[in-house]
């Protein structure tokens, strides 16, 4: 389902769930395109689960020290960005051993051939001949993550759509063979919102994998870094602050950033900056971004230095373990194992 279609549907009785890999950096694009959507959704759904997919991360080689820091940092960042621990169950995947247990039961009902067809597996395994067995079974673990909690919608980027569809196949097969056990999840594709573009090449998406750091704003960039990057953003030679994605992609991107973070609209911005130059406009954009990210960073550093995070994780681990154990036992009994 696309986000555009979501408004019309009542979400009050729906459960959403998503996992995020602890890759260390969140960009302004991630924040506007994905995190803010989760913040919006947390107020309209029945239940929301958000976890750090640390067990998915180790399917490819990781530096243990870096990984360790990234996991905690990501949780703090999400909370600092407005994901409310009272409205979402925020947990670490590896805090709940039943994800792997459920995954094993599902692996034994998933055809090898089906996993061989996963695009991400084909991609990643072709880049490293020594790929792990975990890289191959990764989509089944993801199915377990989703199916344990009876999620209705799974907000993901387009690259993960195939994995959510696989989770549906796995659920359907299990239900048919062993009786109704899992709810059918649906991908909730999160790329139909505002796309934030690269600051130096505004015709391509702002991406954490960009080779030039000056083209990407990261959530933890300092005030000076943010100002420098925005003042150096590519624009055009017309000297007119007007929204025109095709002919003025740079200016349009900066306008999109502002309207995503404030109550401004495109017409209000065009009016406000009529007759003004690009320098003045960019300074305004920089102020808006610095203010928004400044608030997030303050909360982030507070969280990192307190034990609030541990408490949040401990409570969530307890809650999710109980849910997952119940599903695991139900599956075992249905498959003929002992509870
Ligand atoms: P990725 O960083 O590609 O793993 O994407 C994580 C999430 O952030 C997905 O939901 C993407 O759609 C979203 N996202 C990533 N980059 C951008 C961007 N430049 N603009 C808007 N959304 C983005
Ligand atoms: N595989 C997802 C990614 O790389 C992360 C993930 C793991 C996930 N388990 C999930 C996303 C369950 C949604 C639901 O982005």
């Amino acid at each position: 389902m696309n986000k555009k279609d979501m408004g019309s549907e009542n979400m009050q009785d729906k459960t959403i769930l998503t996992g995020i890999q602890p890759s260390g950096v969140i960009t302004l694009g991630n924040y506007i395109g994905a995190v803010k959507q989760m913040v919006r959704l947390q107020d309209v759904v029945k239940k929301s689960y958000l976890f750090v997919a640390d067990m998915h991360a180790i399917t490819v080689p990781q530096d243990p020290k870096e990984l360790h820091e990234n996991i905690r940092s990501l949780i703090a960042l999400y909370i600092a960005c407005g994901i409310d621990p009272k409205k979402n169950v925020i947990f670490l995947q590896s805090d709940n051993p039943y994800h792997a247990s459920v995954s094993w039961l599902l692996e034994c009902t998933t055809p090898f051939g089906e996993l061989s067809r996963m695009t991400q597996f084909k991609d990643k395994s072709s880049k490293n001949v020594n790929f792990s067995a975990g890289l191959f079974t990764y989509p089944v673990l993801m199915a377990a993550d989703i199916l344990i909690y009876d999620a209705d919608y799974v907000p993901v980027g387009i690259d993960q759509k195939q994995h959510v569809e696989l989770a549906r196949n796995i659920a359907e097969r299990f239900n048919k063979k062993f009786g109704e056990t899992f709810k059918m999840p649906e991908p909730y594709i999160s790329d139909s919102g505002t796309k934030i573009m690269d600051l130096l090449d505004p015709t391509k998406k702002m991406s954490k994998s960009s080779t030039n750091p000056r083209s990407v704003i990261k959530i933890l960039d300092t005030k000076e870094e943010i100002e420098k990057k925005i003042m150096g953003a590519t624009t055009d030679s017309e000297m007119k602050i007007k929204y025109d994605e095709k002919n003025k992609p740079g200016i349009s991107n900066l306008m999109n950033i502002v309207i995503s973070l404030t109550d401004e609209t495109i017409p209000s911005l065009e009016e406000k900056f009529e007759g003004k130059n690009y320098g003045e406009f960019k300074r305004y954009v920089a102020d808006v971004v610095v203010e928004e990210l400044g608030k997030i960073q303050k909360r982030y550093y507070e969280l990192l230095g307190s034990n609030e995070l541990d408490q949040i994780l401990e409570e969530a681990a307890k809650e999710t373990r109980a849910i997952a154990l119940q599903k695991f036992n139900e599956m075992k009994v249905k498959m003929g194992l002992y509870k």
Side-chain angles (χ1 to χ4, degrees):
M1 156 164 315
N2 281 321
K3 216 175 275 153
K4 286 192 200 101
D5 312 324
M6 299 293 284
S8 53
E9 206 199 356
N10 194 348
M11 295 289 280
Q12 270 164 10
D13 59 345
K14 301 295 184 212
T15 295
I16 58 170
L17 170 140
T18 197
I20 298 139
Q21 292 223 28
S23 57
V25 269
I26 300 191
T27 68
L28 185 66
N30 293 135
Y31 174 64
I32 290 172
V35 186
K36 277 179 86 74
Q37 304 297 339
M38 285 297 289
V39 173
R40 190 178 57 81
L41 279 173
Q42 73 187 1
D43 287 320
V44 297
V45 295
K46 183 179 84 179
K47 189 95 189 168
S48 166
Y49 295 91
L50 182 74
F51 65 93
V52 175
D54 50 357
M55 298 207 296
H56 278 89
I58 56 170
T59 57
V60 294
Q62 299 282 347
D63 174 71
K65 190 170 170 282
E66 218 171 273
L67 178 66
H68 196 74
E69 276 164 16
N70 283 346
I71 291 170
R72 213 182 145 82
S73 153
L74 190 64
I75 302 252
L77 255 190
Y78 271 81
I79 297 174
C81 285
I83 301 283
D84 183 347
K86 294 202 180 71
K87 296 179 184 161
N88 302 267
V89 184
I90 304 171
F91 68 106
L92 286 191
Q93 188 184 29
S94 65
D95 267 350
N96 190 339
Y98 301 114
H99 282 234
S101 310
V102 168
S103 180
W104 179 256
L105 301 186
L106 294 178
E107 272 175 48
C108 295
T109 63
T110 304
F112 186 91
E114 213 169 303
L115 292 184
S116 318
R117 287 193 288 276
M118 291 294 112
T119 315
Q120 192 180 71
F121 168 71
K122 287 196 278 189
D123 250 26
K124 289 196 178 172
S125 61
S126 66
K127 284 181 196 142
N128 178 3
V129 284
N130 290 320
F131 63 86
S132 70
L135 189 68
F136 183 68
T137 54
Y138 162 126
V140 190
L141 178 61
M142 180 159 160
D145 300 337
I146 297 167
L147 299 176
I148 285 171
Y149 301 96
D150 292 323
D152 294 291
Y153 294 115
V154 183
V156 281
I158 192 82
D159 61 313
Q160 296 295 319
K161 185 166 176 245
Q162 194 185 33
H163 291 159
V164 183
E165 278 158 3
L166 178 84
R168 286 172 66 88
N169 292 345
I170 289 177
E172 197 170 16
R173 197 179 302 113
F174 194 99
N175 286 348
K176 227 182 230 157
K177 186 152 183 206
F178 300 109
E180 201 59 27
T181 311
F182 299 121
K183 202 164 195 178
M184 283 295 166
E186 263 195 62
Y188 174 41
I189 301 305
S190 48
D191 64 355
S192 54
T194 308
K195 212 198 271 176
I196 303 304
M197 309 308 276
D198 187 288
L199 293 178
L200 296 179
D201 177 0
T203 59
K204 68 176 204 220
K205 198 176 99 162
M206 182 183 283
S207 159
K208 45 188 158 195
S209 54
S210 166
T211 46
N212 190 337
R214 287 180 44 221
S215 59
V216 180
I217 293 178
K218 294 198 195 127
I219 295 288
L220 294 178
D221 278 353
T222 61
K223 179 173 185 280
E224 292 70 32
E225 282 168 329
I226 296 168
E227 282 167 356
K228 212 164 155 191
K229 288 177 189 183
I230 290 179
M231 295 313 288
T234 302
T235 49
D236 53 75
S237 54
E238 196 190 23
M239 274 298 157
K240 194 166 178 209
I241 288 111
K242 188 171 140 265
Y243 193 84
D244 179 349
E245 267 181 43
K246 193 161 164 277
N247 300 308
K248 300 166 76 67
I251 284 295
S252 303
N253 187 38
L254 295 178
M255 293 177 99
N256 273 333
I257 291 175
V258 172
I259 64 164
S260 303
L261 301 180
T262 63
D263 294 334
E264 297 280 358
T265 59
I266 296 293
S268 76
L269 275 181
E270 285 175 347
E271 196 183 328
K272 193 172 193 158
F273 286 93
E274 205 181 332
K276 304 255 165 74
N277 64 34
Y278 282 178
E280 282 171 274
F281 177 59
K282 282 177 165 178
R283 252 188 304 280
Y284 173 76
V285 179
D287 285 348
V288 165
V289 176
V290 165
E291 195 192 326
E292 178 92 0
L293 298 192
K295 280 188 274 183
I296 293 172
Q297 291 172 8
K298 184 166 173 282
R299 177 87 177 107
Y300 169 80
Y301 291 112
E302 276 167 15
L303 275 165
L304 270 191
S306 76
N307 60 4
E308 203 180 329
L309 274 189
D310 303 293
Q311 282 166 2
I312 291 166
L313 291 178
E314 210 176 294
E315 250 172 61
K318 248 189 246 157
E319 181 178 345
T320 62
R321 276 185 214 134
I323 296 168
L325 176 60
Q326 202 177 10
K327 200 61 122 181
F328 180 51
N329 280 336
E330 185 186 344
M331 291 170 74
K332 282 209 301 190
V333 169
K334 285 181 171 162
M335 294 174 86
L337 303 173
Y338 284 85
K339 191 170 134 182

